[in-house]
Amino acid sequence: MKTITHWMDGKVVQSRSGQSGPVHDPATGEVIAEVGFADVDQTDQVVASSLAAYTGWRNTSLTRRMQVMFSVRNLLHESKDELAGIVSAEHGKTLDDARGEVQRGLESVEFACGIAHHLKGSQSQEVSSGVDIMSVREPLGVVGCITPFNFPVMVPLWMIPNALACGNAVILKPSEKDPSASLYLADLFQRAGLPEGVLNVLQGDRVAVKRLIEHPDVAALSFVGSTPVARSIYEEGSRHGKRVQALGGAKNHMIVLPDADLDLAADAAVSAGYGSAGERCMAISVVVAVGDAGDRLIPKLKERISALKVGPASAPESEMGPLISSQHRDRVVGCIDSGEKQGAELVMDGRGIQVPGCEKGFFVGPTLFDQVQADMEIYREEIFGPVLSVVRTEQFSDAIDLINANPYANGTAIFTNDGGAARQFQREIQVGMVGVNVPIPVPLGFYSFGGWKNSLFGSHSIYGPEGVQFYTRPKVVTTRWPDPEHRGVDLGFPKSG
Ligand code: NAD
C-alpha cells in the first residue's frame, strides 16, 4: 500500500503520529493509499523548518523570486497531463476537468511572475522640510494554507505563488482525501529553484490545523473549505492574533429570464450544475426560472441531462465522475430523499445509478428537481453533488430578493438578452462574483476571487491583487538626514512645514 508522507526541508518525511487515513479511488471504492497525519510535535517541527527558511527567502532578491516563479510556470505547463492524472486518480473528476483545474492554477503562477510590479511601493519627497516618506509592503512570515478536496491543485495554487513571491514561507495542509498532488507540487517548486523549507507540506486532519492556528510562529492562515470550518478558523485564528482569510461554501443561483436564449441557458445550467459532479464551489445548484421560463426550460434540461455520460475518469467518454467518498455519496442521496419527501418534483433521479465495472464506486447520477421551495432542505443546504434545483418566481424582483436572502454569496449568474435587466442584476445582487450569460464567473488570475457573507470570512479575497495585499503588510519609513537647521530639543508633537 502506498504511503503518502509530509514534505519538509525538501524531502519526504514519514508521519510519526501513528494516525493515518485512507485515500480512495472514488470510481471503484478501493483504498489506494494511506496518508499519515501529523500530530502536534510534527506540526511544530514543520513550523520550525519554515521559520528557519523564511529569513533567507525574504532576503532573496525580488528578481530571483520571480525567476523561480517563471520556472514553476514552465514546469507546471509541461506537467499538466501528469498532474491531471494524479488529481483524477484520487478525486475522481475527469481528466479534461482536472487539466482545466491545473490550467486555472497556472494563471495564479503567471500573475506571481510579475510580482515586482505589484510590490512597488510609493514615495513622497519633501513632505516637510528635508523629510521624505516611503511606503513599502513586507512579507508576513510563515503562512499556513489549508485547502479542500475539490481542487487539490488549483486552490493551493491560489495561495502558494503569491505568498512565496511576496517573500513568505508556506506550509500547505492539503485535504486528507486527495493528498498526492500536494507532494508533486512541493517537488516541482523545489525543481524550479525554491530553497528547501520555504514550501513545506503537512498532511493531516483537524489536529494539524488546530496546531497551526495556535502556533505563535504562524503569522497568517489562508483557508478554503466548508462554511462551518471556515468560520471557526477565522474566529480561532483571529483570536490567536493571526491574519486570516477563510473562504467557505456556496449555494450559487442562476436566474433565467423569459427573454433569455433558453438553449444557451440549458447548456450552461447543465454544464455548471453537473461538471465535476457538482463538487465545485462555483457550481450552479439553483436555477431561478422567472415567469414562463421554467415550463420551457425543464424539457431542455431533461434532454441534456439524459445524454450525460457518467463513469470513471479512466474511461475517455466519461463526462461526470463519482463523488469523493461513500459518506458524501450517502449524504447527497439523503438530500435527494429529503427533497422528494418535502414535496419537490423529482424530474430526474440519480440515486441507485449503476456504472458497469464500478459497482462499488461513489456515484450519484445527475438529479433534477422542479418546484423547489425556499424552506426545503435541498434549497437551504449546500449539497455539493450533482443535484440541480429549479425554483420558480413570478417576477424578476422576487428572484433577486431570493438570492439576496440566502446566507451564501459566492457566485451567481443571470441569463437574459435584456441589457437593462442584466445591469439591474449586477447592481442589486449581494454576491461576490457575478456572471452575465456566464454560469461560472471565476475571475482570471489578474483579478481576485471571493464571495460575500458566509462564503468568505475576512477582508481579503484570494489570489490576484488582493492576494498580494493579504500576504504583505505595509511599512512606512519617514526619513530626514541631519542638517544644521533641524537640531535642538523640541518636546512638541512633530509637525510638518
Ligand atoms: P472541509 O471544510 O471539510 O475541509 C477543508 C480543509 O479543512 C481540509 O484540509 C480539512 O482537512 C480541514 N478540516 C476539515 N475539518 C476541519 C476541522 N474541524 N478543523 C480544522 N480543519 C478541518 O471542506 P472539503 O469537504 O474538503 O471541501 C468542500 C467544501 O469547500 C465545500 O463546502 C465547498 O463549497 C468549499 N469550497 C469553497 C471554495 C471557495 O472558494 N469559496 C472553493 C473550493 C471549495
Side-chain angles (χ1 to χ4, degrees), residues 451-492:
W452 291 6
K453 302 200 271 188
N454 285 356
S455 297
L456 190 151
F457 302 91
S459 47
H460 291 92
S461 297
I462 208 158
Y463 71 75
E466 294 243 351
V468 176
Q469 295 291 308
F470 181 76
Y471 293 122
T472 56
R473 53 186 165 180
K475 181 182 273 179
V476 184
V477 181
T478 306
T479 307
R480 168 184 277 149
W481 293 103
D483 63 51
E485 275 180 41
H486 296 98
R487 289 182 184 275
V489 174
D490 178 356
L491 297 194

Side-chain angles (χ1 to χ4, degrees), residues 189-489:
F189 273 81
Q190 180 154 316
R191 283 188 281 131
L194 190 74
E196 291 173 2
V198 178
L199 171 61
N200 287 328
V201 178
L202 190 66
Q203 308 291 356
D205 58 1
R206 62 178 67 189
V207 174
V209 175
K210 184 166 181 287
R211 185 58 190 151
L212 288 176
I213 293 172
E214 291 170 354
H215 201 297
D217 292 333
V218 175
L221 296 167
S222 286
F223 173 88
V224 174
S226 58
T227 287
V229 183
R231 181 186 277 116
S232 114
I233 285 184
Y234 180 71
E235 289 174 358
E236 284 301 298
S238 304
R239 210 165 58 77
H240 283 86
K242 298 188 195 318
R243 184 177 288 204
V244 189
Q245 58 179 177
L247 281 71
K251 193 81 186 174
N252 305 313
H253 297 65
M254 167 176 152
I255 293 183
V256 181
L257 293 186
D259 77 298
D261 176 335
L262 290 189
D263 284 309
L264 179 75
D267 288 344
V270 170
S271 308
Y274 303 110
S276 203
E279 290 176 325
R280 290 182 186 142
C281 63
M282 289 292 274
I284 291 295
S285 54
V286 182
V287 171
V288 190
V290 177
D292 71 351
D295 289 345
R296 291 181 289 130
L297 189 64
I298 290 284
K300 292 180 188 292
L301 293 175
K302 266 177 81 171
E303 182 194 328
R304 285 160 176 79
I305 294 168
S306 309
L308 290 179
K309 295 185 190 68
V310 180
S314 55
E317 66 278 9
S318 298
E319 292 172 291
M320 192 184 109
L323 293 169
I324 187 68
S325 64
S326 59
Q327 293 87 336
H328 188 46
R329 176 201 54 207
D330 295 347
R331 186 181 161 270
V332 172
V333 167
C335 288
I336 301 173
D337 294 344
S338 139
E340 198 176 29
K341 210 178 296 164
Q342 293 189 329
E345 190 184 312
L346 186 54
V347 181
M348 307 283 293
D349 185 355
R351 290 172 296 187
I353 187 173
Q354 288 300 319
V355 176
C358 295
E359 286 71 18
K360 295 201 171 134
F362 311 141
F363 290 93
V364 175
T367 299
L368 179 67
F369 278 108
D370 192 8
Q371 304 293 350
V372 173
Q373 305 295 321
D375 58 356
M376 292 177 180
E377 189 193 350
I378 48 168
Y379 179 78
R380 285 186 285 107
E381 295 291 317
E382 179 187 34
I383 302 173
F384 220 54
V387 181
L388 195 56
S389 295
V390 177
V391 175
R392 312 274 192 126
T393 65
E394 278 303 312
Q395 304 294 332
F396 178 32
S397 58
D398 300 333
I400 292 182
D401 291 347
L402 179 79
I403 298 175
N404 285 348
N406 198 282
Y408 294 106
N410 213 35
T412 188
I414 187 167
F415 277 71
T416 180
N417 284 320
D418 178 341
R423 186 171 186 278
Q424 182 187 349
F425 177 71
Q426 180 189 318
R427 287 187 53 79
E428 292 182 7
I429 211 71
Q430 304 286 309
V431 175
M433 291 171 283
V434 179
V436 176
N437 297 319
V438 172
I440 305 189
V442 175
L444 270 85
F446 38 91
Y447 284 82
S448 298
F449 178 109
W452 291 6
K453 302 200 271 188
N454 285 356
S455 297
L456 190 151
F457 302 91
S459 47
H460 291 92
S461 297
I462 208 158
Y463 71 75
E466 294 243 351
V468 176
Q469 295 291 308
F470 181 76
Y471 293 122
T472 56
R473 53 186 165 180
K475 181 182 273 179
V476 184
V477 181
T478 306
T479 307
R480 168 184 277 149
W481 293 103
D483 63 51
E485 275 180 41
H486 296 98
R487 289 182 184 275
V489 174

Side-chain angles (χ1 to χ4, degrees), residues 108-188:
S108 295
V109 178
E110 287 169 348
F111 178 84
C113 287
I115 199 73
H117 174 70
H118 301 286
L119 285 180
K120 279 180 193 158
S122 59
Q123 195 186 24
S124 301
Q125 291 194 342
E126 203 65 6
V127 293
S128 184
S129 71
V131 177
D132 301 332
I133 293 190
M134 174 179 76
S135 173
V136 292
R137 298 200 70 89
E138 295 199 347
L140 307 175
V142 177
V143 176
C145 296
I146 302 146
T147 55
F149 80 83
N150 66 326
F151 286 110
V153 170
M154 182 182 78
V155 171
L157 290 179
W158 283 359
M159 305 168 179
I160 298 170
N162 264 346
L164 293 179
C166 290
N168 300 282
V170 169
I171 299 172
L172 171 63
K173 205 308 278 170
S175 168
E176 63 277 36
K177 294 177 185 137
D178 46 11
S180 290
S182 65
L183 294 178
Y184 190 95
L185 286 178
D187 179 62
L188 186 146

